[in-house]
Amino acid sequence: MSDVTTMSDEEILAQIKAETSDSRIFLYMKGTPDAPACGFSMRVVQMLSHLEVEYGSRDILEDARVRQILSTWSDWPTIPQLYVKGEFVGGSDIIREMFQAGELQAL
């Protein structure tokens, strides 16, 4: 990850695209997996931990532009956002529903 404070919006978008395509599972969240900064992010981290999967993550609080660019790109206004194999899966509520239905494990 680069220091986004020195990056242009286009460079941030390119980095988002690279993060989601280079990692099998990638989570944009508030805070970090070790220290989630909101309950919604914490719940997704707990579900991923329960599934014992490796994933990359980015704290969107480091620069407001990351959240703005991510939300515009994904057409999803809320955080967290989970990506699997480069595809947007959903936010906290969708992830919870998929987890409860056994669909998240299948991904």
Side-chain angles (χ1 to χ4, degrees):
M1 267 183 278
S2 302
D3 177 13
V4 296
T5 60
T6 62
M7 297 172 70
S8 70
D9 289 0
E10 293 78 20
E11 290 170 321
I12 293 172
L13 179 57
Q15 189 171 50
I16 289 169
K17 289 178 179 179
E19 289 167 344
T20 57
S21 65
D22 293 348
S23 296
R24 185 169 171 263
I25 302 169
F26 202 87
L27 177 64
Y28 290 95
M29 62 182 293
K30 292 179 181 176
T32 65
D34 292 331
C38 80
F40 297 111
S41 292
M42 181 180 65
R43 281 189 280 264
V44 174
V45 165
Q46 289 172 336
M47 287 179 267
L48 294 175
S49 295
H50 179 79
L51 296 175
E52 299 179 346
V53 296
E54 291 184 29
Y55 60 96
S57 67
R58 170 171 282 239
D59 178 2
I60 58 90
L61 298 175
E62 65 186 21
D63 187 316
R65 294 179 309 147
V66 173
R67 179 181 184 158
Q68 293 167 345
I69 293 166
L70 175 66
S71 292
T72 299
W73 180 63
S74 67
D75 198 25
W76 192 262
T78 61
I79 302 297
Q81 292 185 20
L82 183 68
Y83 292 79
V84 176
K85 300 176 187 171
E87 297 294 322
F88 176 63
V89 176
S92 179
D93 290 343
I94 291 171
I95 298 305
R96 186 191 73 232
E97 290 171 11
M98 291 178 72
F99 179 79
Q100 291 173 340
E103 298 169 359
L104 189 59
Q105 296 84 328
L107 282 178

